[in-house]
Amino acid sequence: MTHLVFFCGHAGTGKTTLAKKLIGPLMQASGAPFCLLDKDTLFGGYSAAAMAMLTGDPNDRDSPLFLQHLRDPEYRGLIDTARENLELGVSALVVGPLSREVRERRLFDRTWLGVGAEVVLRVVWVHTSEETARQRIVERADPNDAYKLVHWDQYRQRRFVPSGALCDDLLMFDNTAPKPQDYEALLARIVGEPQAAGVMMPPVPV
């Protein structure tokens, strides 16, 4: 059995940190190998080169030009890479904002993803307050965030927290100040309901 797990959310919510924290316990709990596929790691260098050629700014990842022409191919490549690993028996943790795909519930569409019913599919929405996210963005000083900070009022209009029907099957995780039991509860929801079967969840490193 393979798992496809998405860690989605806006910049500064700690998606990658959370995925890296859980990948070891996930492998232990599921007994399956996992790979970590982070959008920025896979496509950051390529997109930087493309934007430098197009606009002269390699760190421009939020302008209308990037969003219109490069965003969707990045995500399609990310999902295609995950699917190839799944076909080889390797589960995947996929990290990226994916806010549009969450809004449109594409991440629950197995036909759109190209995966069968045998794949365990989980979508985690990682969130924190706008103030906390902005503070983290400032502190990490990533050049790719420069456009967001300069155009924060414009960027913040794209921020949202799923609610209502959008939350169906969505695993919401408040990453402001999580406790060890919060990580363990999320791990249990990703893997399934192992405690009901008498299997203890491995502790998550803190």
Side-chain angles (χ1 to χ4, degrees):
M1 180 181 294
T2 52
H3 295 70
L4 175 56
V5 185
F6 290 96
F7 285 81
C8 313
H10 301 296
T13 55
K15 302 179 294 296
T16 301
T17 301
L18 179 61
K20 288 180 177 180
K21 178 182 284 290
L22 291 183
I23 191 168
L26 269 173
M27 287 192 283
Q28 184 179 349
S30 65
F34 272 80
C35 66
L36 176 66
L37 302 176
D38 187 295
K39 182 180 78 72
D40 289 339
T41 303
L42 283 173
F43 297 104
Y46 174 84
S47 294
M51 293 306 293
M53 181 180 66
L54 293 170
T55 69
D57 182 1
N59 301 314
D60 177 1
R61 308 294 172 84
D62 290 278
S63 68
L65 187 148
F66 175 86
L67 296 175
Q68 181 177 353
H69 296 288
L70 292 180
R71 178 199 184 276
D72 289 352
E74 280 193 353
Y75 283 130
R76 178 42 56 187
L78 186 66
I79 291 168
D80 289 347
T81 303
R83 187 176 61 253
E84 286 189 344
N85 278 274
L86 293 167
E87 291 169 353
L88 295 172
V90 179
S91 296
L93 295 187
V94 178
V95 182
L98 289 155
S99 56
R100 186 186 306 167
E101 289 72 16
V102 168
R103 270 185 169 140
E104 297 174 356
R105 291 192 59 82
R106 289 185 179 180
L107 300 185
F108 296 99
D109 184 342
R110 292 178 180 268
T111 300
W112 187 79
L113 293 171
V115 302
E118 75 283 359
V119 176
V120 177
L121 180 60
R122 299 287 186 265
V123 182
V124 181
W125 181 263
V126 187
H127 62 95
T128 188
S129 69
E130 178 183 334
E131 294 75 18
T132 298
R134 193 177 193 282
Q135 180 181 352
R136 290 176 179 175
I137 290 172
V138 170
E139 290 174 351
R140 71 188 183 189
D142 187 335
N144 293 331
D145 293 323
Y147 188 97
K148 294 184 184 70
L149 293 174
V150 172
H151 302 84
W152 188 261
D153 286 341
Q154 176 183 341
Y155 167 72
R156 68 191 299 270
Q157 300 303 315
R158 306 207 316 261
R159 288 179 49 89
F160 77 104
V161 177
S163 61
L166 286 181
C167 291
D168 291 348
D169 301 319
L170 196 64
L171 305 184
M172 302 291 291
F173 188 80
D174 186 343
N175 206 23
T176 303
K179 298 178 174 60
Q181 57 266 34
D182 298 322
Y183 294 120
E184 291 169 9
L186 177 60
L187 178 64
R189 295 183 71 192
I190 292 173
V191 174
E193 298 181 352
Q195 291 173 329
V199 179
M200 296 298 292
M201 283 286 94
V204 179
V206 295

